[in-house]
Amino acid sequence: MLKQIQEVAQFIRAFNTPLPTVGIILGTGLGALVNEVTIEVEIPYETIPHFPVSTVESHSGRLILGTLAGKSVLIMQGRFHYYEGYSMQQVTFPVRVMKWLGIQTLLVSNAAGGLNPAFSVSDLMIINDHISLLLPENPLRGQLPAEFGDRFPDMSDPYSPDLIEKALTIADELALPLQQGVYVSVTGPQLETRSEYRLLRQWGADAVGMSTVPEVITAHQMGMQVFGCSVITDLCIPETLEKASLPKILAAAAVAEPKLTALIKRLVGRL
Ligand code: HPA
């Protein structure tokens, strides 16, 4: 795997853009941040050696190298999900490439269901902790190169308290309402039953989704500082549950997109 990571890093370096210092993963329906980027290169995933190809239609699947708020960034527009059939090694492969390129900070976003009854559709939730229920596989399982980091990474603070603090300050400045909470990752692709939502809430989760945790664990193992933000696209309250649909989720994400874009842009400026 190390050799493949090095080859992809070399492939990206060959575009001769300034080397990115910040990596950003944009979740379902959250691609608009790209409009704020001075783009140098766009690289479709299918042209990158060893890269998995995104199969979800709502994810456009390209790497973008450019400048945002004065920083060189590498953006993943579209991510890889376990439910698409990829292994956890494939899901987290791009994060390892980021680290190989010298990226020290990873910002991740996702669309998530709101379990906390105080949340509303299109709220932003800063992820301050997570629960990993992507149980069948773990990106750190098996023999990994020593360069990847600790065998048993500490997880007392996977989401950088410093970046959360900065985001809260920015939210104040922009008068942007922000929720904070615990993100629980499930495998999907089916949404959850009412009973599962009840259980996840009782376990202490505020939002539920099908991504993010594998990338965060991997980035954290490799010593990157991580910031995560969920967009609440549907409410998962068992008693009042409505039928979810991808169009509704995308519409809710679209409402939240300008808020997320403003937050991330300012945050990148302060790194
Ligand atoms: N469950 C899991 N993933 C999701 C949900 C949900 O309710 N909403 C958006 N992504």
Side-chain angles (χ1 to χ4, degrees):
M1 182 168 36
L2 194 52
K3 190 159 168 284
Q4 294 186 346
I5 290 166
Q6 287 164 342
E7 280 172 21
V8 178
Q10 190 47 41
F11 172 84
I12 293 171
R13 278 197 206 98
F15 286 92
N16 269 325
T17 65
L19 273 185
T21 55
V22 184
I24 303 174
I25 303 178
L26 297 176
T28 306
L30 301 171
L33 180 75
V34 169
N35 302 332
E36 302 287 321
V37 176
T38 309
I39 298 177
E40 303 242 9
V41 193
E42 292 183 40
I43 317 172
Y45 291 160
E46 58 270 21
T47 66
I48 306 175
H50 311 304
F51 234 61
V53 176
S54 184
T55 62
V56 183
E57 278 166 36
S58 45
H59 292 245
S60 51
R62 55 204 171 131
L63 275 189
I64 290 160
L65 288 156
T67 310
L68 176 68
K71 302 276 180 351
S72 293
V73 295
L74 184 153
I75 297 180
M76 283 184 74
Q77 198 174 27
R79 58 148 62 82
F80 305 105
H81 301 84
Y82 186 69
Y83 65 73
E84 294 177 81
Y86 302 116
S87 69
M88 278 296 172
Q89 299 297 349
Q90 289 176 301
V91 167
T92 56
F93 183 79
V95 175
R96 300 213 186 275
V97 170
M98 286 182 187
K99 176 70 184 183
W100 233 257
L101 287 167
I103 288 175
Q104 287 298 337
T105 304
L106 177 67
L107 313 180
V108 284
S109 65
N110 59 52
L115 298 163
N116 184 327
F119 290 0
S120 305
V121 168
S122 301
D123 275 357
L124 298 185
M125 184 195 87
I126 293 184
I127 304 174
N128 58 22
D129 208 357
H130 72 222
I131 299 171
S132 174
L133 287 186
L134 283 165
L135 288 175
E137 221 190 307
N138 185 307
L140 310 192
R141 181 168 170 266
Q143 187 122 32
L144 298 179
E147 290 90 333
F148 287 3
D150 282 354
R151 168 82 287 190
F152 304 107
D154 168 77
M155 293 296 282
S156 57
D157 259 337
Y159 300 87
S160 158
D162 174 46
L163 293 184
I164 291 176
E165 203 50 50
K166 284 191 165 82
L168 291 173
T169 305
I170 291 166
D172 258 1
E173 292 164 7
L174 298 175
L176 197 74
L178 269 192
Q179 308 281 8
Q180 271 197 72
V182 176
Y183 175 90
V184 58
S185 64
V186 293
T187 55
Q190 82 283 2
L191 297 184
E192 293 68 39
T193 62
R194 291 171 203 265
S195 301
E196 286 165 343
Y197 286 137
R198 195 171 290 117
L199 180 77
L200 295 172
R201 180 67 186 145
Q202 282 169 0
W203 279 355
D206 296 289
V208 52
M210 304 173 194
S211 67
T212 300
V213 168
E215 294 117 314
V216 169
I217 292 174
T218 303
H220 187 66
Q221 183 192 35
M222 302 209 296
M224 298 160 86
Q225 63 170 351
V226 176
F227 175 80
C229 188
S230 292
V231 170
I232 304 301
T233 53
D234 51 292
L235 299 182
C236 304
I237 309 300
E239 295 73 27
T240 54
L241 191 64
E242 291 176 14
K243 283 201 189 312
S245 70
L246 188 59
K248 273 206 261 182
I249 287 177
L250 294 179
V255 171
E257 224 173 4
K259 296 189 281 183
L260 182 74
T261 299
L263 176 68
I264 299 281
K265 187 177 170 185
R266 260 196 205 208
L267 186 57
V268 168
R270 296 199 191 166
L271 292 174

